[in-house]
Amino acid sequence: MSLQYQGLGSQRVPRDAPSRPWWQIQGRVLFLTICAAGIGGTFQFGYNLSIINAPTLHIQKFTNDTWRARTGWPLPDHLVLLVWSLIVSLYPLGGLFGALLAGPFAIMLGRKKSLLVNNVFVVAAAVLFGFSCRAGSFEMIMLGRLLMGMSAGVSMNIQPMYLGESAPKELRGAVAMTSAIFTALGIVMGQVVGLRELLGGPQAWPLLLASCLVPGVLQLASLPLLPESPRYVLIDRGDRATCLAALQRLRGTTEVMVELAELEEERAACQGRRARRPWELFKDSALRRQVISLVVLGSAMELCGNDAIYAYASSVFHEAGIPQDKVQYAIVGTGCCELLAAFISCLVIERVGRRVLLIGGYCLMTWWGSVFTVALCLQSSFPWMSYLAVSCIFAFILSFGIGPAGVTGILATELFDQMARPAAYMVCGTLMWTMLFLVGLGFPFLMEGLSHFLYVPFLGVCVCGAIYTGFFLPETKGKTFLEISEELHRLNFPGQSQDPMWKGPEVIQSTEL
């Protein structure tokens, strides 16, 4: 068998060296790293996204009572609704600010330290939530939601970057998928803790909002004991000894020289250039396909209609005959459904690849969304259509969790090299939070204007996502970052033969943003 090499002076690495089967990788420290990063990362995002639903009426009453105590007059209903809308929408607005901070944080502080420092926002928000009722200030709730959004914006970008750089290539997709698992787990935990029997009552809602402190404390207690991203330590900081120690701990073995040589190969490709700025990604023709894929598939994930399904769930469950006081338990079932789908996706992603999960997920979502629309239109004529609509809700959430929910988050890690990755996550995060904000703002008008045909625009997005993935997204399963970069270079310049002097992506010694 002939071997292809990429020159590194005296160090030469076989490009088609066999990979270890995933079951031979000892990953206790890697597993602990995943848990420590996830509990204070995407878990917080899902948790704070869902707990705000339970105390809706209690916070609105608190807002009105506070205003009455200050002025002697009740706050008009439309202004109460405006304050509540601000409390909800400040979370994605904070997420947008956090996404813009994530790139500089990741470069200046490193991946692990950024996640730790990010908990400053969590502690401040928990204090504001906990004392808001005693202080008689709904403004403290608004500020706390903004801070929690900033925390989520930082962690949702840095956590997959940290885990993707720490995982071996045989498990990179599965490890990155754990971000979706922790998001779904946070949603479920928020739904459970927000039940009336726990912290969803009229007196306990400040504790419900302040309970975000618990995951933050768990991360602060555990993450400092675990290693930094080996790729960041070697390529960005030039610390070979620390990189070697981190690799040995994460892999559970001292036999990491082949992987270390691959990292050295990336480091040797350094051209001494600074890191990309976000706007520079759009100007570089060598990153054209990567940026388009990030924008198209990132937008498709936010506009595919999953939020619409969740918004319709309560009314559909009620129409299906579920008593109003039991609907909250059915809602918990939807969160469990997404959690199950994320686990399934994590187990199969390294077997079937990224493209299959994305295409299959979007196709299934298109099918179930179509059936859901038909069921909503006919439920007044055929009573059993309500039960079909309920089934479609669970099937749609399963399809979303298996495909777009987790795989889309891997794109910025795998499609961009070390120099462009922090900027790519800033673009991805900014896009995601902006879309989330716009969907939340425009969704009530879509519901009013389209009624049962609300889901038709989302069906078009799902079809576009499947088509784009099928024709334009390359498969990255089991490939090193250098191999992915070489394939993307060929795709971006199809009419050119690869420059024999091109040694892979530009990787730099100091990634100043």
Side-chain angles (χ1 to χ4, degrees):
M1 178 179 64
S2 62
L3 295 178
Q4 300 174 355
Y5 290 89
Q6 234 177 4
L8 289 177
S10 60
Q11 215 171 17
R12 306 177 78 84
V13 182
R15 295 303 305 275
D16 55 350
S19 302
R20 289 177 294 166
W22 63 267
W23 58 83
Q24 292 182 6
I25 299 173
Q26 303 176 28
R28 185 180 62 179
V29 174
L30 179 61
F31 175 76
L32 294 175
T33 301
I34 292 169
C35 293
I39 194 66
T42 52
F43 178 90
Q44 283 277 36
F45 165 68
Y47 186 74
N48 286 279
L49 197 64
S50 63
I51 62 170
I52 198 64
N53 295 320
T56 298
L57 296 178
H58 308 318
I59 293 178
Q60 290 179 356
K61 181 178 182 300
F62 167 71
T63 300
N64 196 25
D65 292 345
T66 299
W67 189 261
R68 188 195 301 270
R70 291 177 184 177
T71 65
W73 299 93
L75 195 63
D77 290 344
H78 69 281
L79 291 181
V80 172
L81 186 60
L82 175 63
V83 172
W84 172 249
S85 299
L86 285 173
I87 289 174
V88 174
S89 60
L90 280 173
Y91 186 66
L93 183 62
L96 176 60
F97 294 150
L100 296 175
L101 290 174
F105 272 23
I107 292 169
M108 293 185 296
L109 302 177
R111 285 38 165 169
K112 185 179 81 168
K113 191 177 292 185
S114 296
L115 290 173
L116 293 171
V117 171
N118 187 43
N119 284 290
V120 171
F121 298 128
V122 176
V123 173
V127 171
L128 289 170
F129 289 145
F131 290 97
S132 59
C133 189
R134 185 180 296 272
S137 172
F138 56 82
E139 295 86 353
M140 292 173 67
I141 302 176
M142 298 168 67
L143 181 57
R145 288 286 291 177
L146 181 68
L147 292 176
M148 283 309 305
M150 293 177 66
S151 171
V154 171
S155 62
M156 286 195 69
N157 284 359
I158 294 182
Q159 179 189 334
M161 192 189 312
Y162 174 44
L163 297 180
E165 293 178 357
S166 299
K169 65 180 181 181
E170 298 88 353
L171 293 175
R172 189 175 60 236
V175 169
M177 277 294 301
T178 59
S179 298
I181 291 177
F182 276 100
T183 298
L185 182 61
I187 290 174
V188 173
M189 287 300 298
Q191 291 169 340
V192 171
V193 174
L195 293 174
R196 286 187 296 271
E197 294 82 353
L198 297 177
L199 296 181
Q203 304 300 323
W205 64 263
L207 292 178
L208 174 64
L209 297 182
S211 61
C212 62
L213 182 62
V214 176
V217 170
L218 289 175
Q219 185 176 73
L220 287 171
S222 57
L223 193 56
L225 305 176
L226 298 164
E228 175 61 279
S229 158
R231 188 175 301 273
Y232 171 81
V233 169
L234 180 65
I235 298 175
D236 291 53
R237 294 301 180 213
D239 191 342
R240 189 178 188 277
T242 303
C243 174
L244 178 60
L247 278 175
Q248 291 174 342
R249 289 189 65 195
L250 288 167
R251 305 295 178 262
T253 177
T254 57
E255 299 176 2
V256 295
M257 298 311 296
V258 172
E259 189 170 356
L260 181 63
E262 291 176 355
L263 296 182
E264 291 279 11
E265 189 177 2
E266 288 193 44
R267 185 186 177 194
C270 169
Q271 297 287 325
R273 299 180 182 179
R274 59 172 175 77
R276 304 278 187 178
R277 293 186 172 94
W279 54 88
E280 292 176 345
L281 302 183
F282 295 90
K283 300 177 181 179
D284 191 345
S285 58
L287 297 175
R288 181 173 55 246
R289 184 178 292 256
Q290 295 94 306
V291 172
I292 293 175
S293 298
L294 191 69
V295 172
V296 170
L297 295 178
S299 301
M301 185 186 72
E302 294 301 327
L303 300 177
C304 67
N306 192 59
D307 294 332
I309 286 288
Y310 274 112
Y312 246 107
S314 296
S315 60
V316 172
F317 289 151
H318 184 67
E319 289 287 340
I322 299 177
Q324 188 63 41
D325 60 335
K326 303 297 182 184
V327 168
Q328 59 175 344
Y329 304 109
I331 296 294
V332 174
T334 61
C336 294
C337 197
E338 186 169 341
L339 179 59
L340 174 63
F343 269 115
I344 294 173
S345 182
C346 183
L347 292 175
V348 303
I349 187 171
E350 294 299 346
R351 293 179 179 270
V352 302
R354 286 67 162 153
R355 284 164 45 85
V356 171
L357 290 180
L358 275 177
I359 295 172
Y362 278 124
C363 289
L364 287 173
M365 290 162 67
T366 303
W367 167 252
W368 291 116
S370 302
V371 176
F372 182 65
T373 301
V374 172
L376 288 179
C377 294
L378 298 179
Q379 64 181 357
S380 58
S381 302
F382 303 96
W384 56 270
M385 281 289 181
S386 297
Y387 300 100
L388 178 60
V390 169
S391 302
C392 288
I393 288 177
F394 287 99
F396 185 91
I397 292 172
L398 273 172
S399 305
F400 176 76
I402 289 174
V407 179
T408 309
I410 305 174
L411 297 179
T413 297
E414 295 193 326
L415 298 184
F416 293 86
D417 59 39
Q418 189 80 2
M419 185 171 66
R421 192 172 297 127
Y425 268 104
M426 291 176 68
V427 172
C428 182
T430 302
L431 180 71
M432 187 201 79
W433 289 103
T434 303
M435 292 290 181
L436 191 63
F437 178 77
L438 293 177
V439 168
L441 196 63
F443 183 72
F445 300 100
L446 280 177
M447 287 185 66
E448 183 177 352
L450 297 179
S451 185
H452 295 330
F453 296 96
L454 163 74
Y455 206 74
V456 173
F458 300 125
L459 294 180
V461 174
C462 293
V463 171
C464 291
I467 292 174
Y468 183 88
T469 302
F471 284 100
F472 300 107
L473 185 70
E475 182 56 74
T476 57
K477 180 186 70 170
K479 298 177 182 177
T480 66
F481 286 116
L482 279 174
E483 291 166 345
I484 295 170
S485 295
E486 289 175 0
E487 181 177 354
L488 287 166
H489 183 81
R490 290 192 295 269
L491 292 173
N492 282 318
F493 303 101
Q496 302 177 13
S497 59
Q498 185 166 300
D499 184 352
M501 297 301 292
W502 191 81
K503 297 182 180 180
E506 294 177 335
V507 186
I508 57 177
Q509 189 75 24
S510 174
T511 52
E512 176 193 356
L513 189 64

